[in-house]
Amino acid sequence: MDFQNRAGSKPGAGALMSQSESNVARRERLRKLALETIDIKNDPYFMRNHLGSYECKLCLTLHNNEGSYLAHTQGKKHQTNLARRLALEARDQESPGFVPGAARSQGTAPKVRKNVVKIGRPGYKVTKIRDPSTRQFGLLFEVTYPEVTEETKPRHRFMSAYEQHVEPPNRQYQYLLFAAEPYETVAFKVQSREIDMRQGRFWSYWDMDTRTFTLQFFFRNQTRSYGSQTAVPGHATGANAVVPAGYPAQQNAGSYYIPPAQQTGYQ
């Protein structure tokens, strides 16, 4: 039996190659094979970084030398990603309105969020309102953004007192936030009551001509009882008071009393 020329054995030795030596030989064979089929200078996925090492822009892998990169191009991961990229480009070419060289520039390309320099707080106006028919208390917000672009639309959301870290949390209040770049996000502190989200009770509008974002909402009414006495029109104990069944509706909403303690948080 020939112990010297066996498959996997080193010339001049009788033992088989170790695992590390076998990996080195395999990478060397792959490198030589890649040199015959790939021009590394024209490879669009080959990149040398500022540290002197090499990167594959398709697979996002890091390599210490060109041989390691060439061996990677013959591996399963690189070949799979390359097949996916070719299939994706072929699908884009079949789609209507395809422009050569700009296949990934529209629709599917992710948008990179740019760092925007804030220019200050927007102007705002807050108005207390009340519906004379339902006696619901509400607020009208008008926030002005004169420097926003035409593509920008202000956004808003309600935030719990436990989400913010500016003040100690107080479950009696919640925050209404308005945001639009390049302005800072502003928040208004309102009572933590249920918002009436029905159609016509909660609405918002963005006026592009005046650059003013308007939002209006009403709180849902809640009946309060103190002992055996129920809140009635003309003797209301707070903004939550409503007209119980059997009482006539009061037309003069101006005589509806709101204690100062109930008005805090709306200014």
Side-chain angles (χ1 to χ4, degrees):
M1 183 175 180
D2 186 1
F3 289 92
Q4 181 175 354
N5 298 319
R6 292 183 301 174
S9 65
K10 296 184 295 182
L16 293 175
M17 300 175 66
S18 64
Q19 183 178 3
S20 60
E21 293 171 339
S22 177
N23 290 336
V24 171
R26 178 180 57 82
R27 287 196 296 267
E28 182 64 20
R29 292 195 304 270
L30 291 175
R31 186 184 71 84
K32 293 180 180 180
L33 178 63
L35 284 175
E36 298 176 358
T37 57
I38 298 178
D39 185 4
I40 194 172
K41 295 182 180 180
N42 298 325
D43 190 350
Y45 306 118
F46 177 75
M47 183 185 71
R48 182 173 181 175
N49 59 23
H50 65 286
L51 298 177
S53 49
Y54 304 93
E55 297 181 12
C56 176
K57 294 189 291 184
L58 179 63
C59 306
L60 302 179
T61 54
L62 186 65
H63 307 276
N64 294 327
N65 49 59
E66 295 181 1
S68 175
Y69 172 79
L70 291 174
H72 161 74
T73 58
Q74 303 302 311
K76 181 179 179 181
K77 181 177 182 179
H78 187 85
Q79 294 296 327
T80 301
N81 291 337
L82 191 61
R84 290 177 180 175
R85 175 59 63 88
L86 294 176
L88 194 60
E89 292 178 355
R91 186 184 63 182
D92 290 340
Q93 292 179 4
E94 297 175 358
S95 61
F98 169 74
V99 179
R104 308 303 302 161
S105 61
Q106 298 178 355
T108 57
K111 295 183 178 180
V112 179
R113 189 177 186 274
K114 299 180 180 180
N115 294 328
V116 179
V117 178
K118 301 298 183 179
I119 62 175
R121 299 177 182 176
Y124 60 89
K125 178 182 179 182
V126 183
T127 306
K128 300 179 183 179
I129 57 176
R130 183 182 298 278
D131 191 326
S133 58
T134 62
R135 301 189 180 280
Q136 288 179 276
F137 185 81
L139 294 171
L140 174 66
F141 293 88
E142 297 174 282
V143 187
T144 306
Y145 297 97
E147 300 297 333
V148 298
T149 61
E150 295 183 357
E151 296 80 11
T152 303
K153 182 179 180 180
R155 296 172 297 171
H156 69 277
R157 80 175 185 96
F158 286 92
M159 182 177 69
S160 169
Y162 297 95
E163 296 182 58
Q164 55 87 28
H165 303 284
V166 179
E167 301 178 349
N170 188 346
R171 66 177 183 177
Q172 296 182 356
Y173 296 97
Q174 60 183 336
Y175 297 85
L176 175 59
L177 276 63
F178 294 91
E181 294 180 346
Y183 290 90
E184 297 179 1
T185 301
V186 292
F188 297 90
K189 187 176 181 180
V190 299
Q191 286 187 350
S192 182
R193 296 169 50 190
E194 184 181 1
I195 306 297
D196 192 348
M197 304 298 293
R198 293 176 298 176
Q199 185 176 3
R201 314 304 297 169
F202 184 96
W203 59 268
S204 61
Y205 176 71
W206 169 236
D207 190 346
M208 282 293 300
D209 296 332
T210 61
R211 296 293 198 276
T212 302
F213 183 75
T214 305
L215 184 141
Q216 175 181 298
F217 67 87
F218 288 92
F219 293 106
R220 284 189 176 272
N221 285 333
Q222 298 176 1
T223 303
R224 285 184 176 179
S225 299
Y226 297 90
S228 60
Q229 184 179 2
T230 304
V232 297
H235 301 82
T237 58
N240 288 335
V242 295
V243 182
Y247 287 93
Q250 182 181 9
Q251 299 296 329
N252 186 12
S255 62
Y256 203 69
Y257 175 65
I258 305 177
Q262 297 291 336
Q263 299 181 16
T264 58
Y266 295 99
Q267 300 177 359

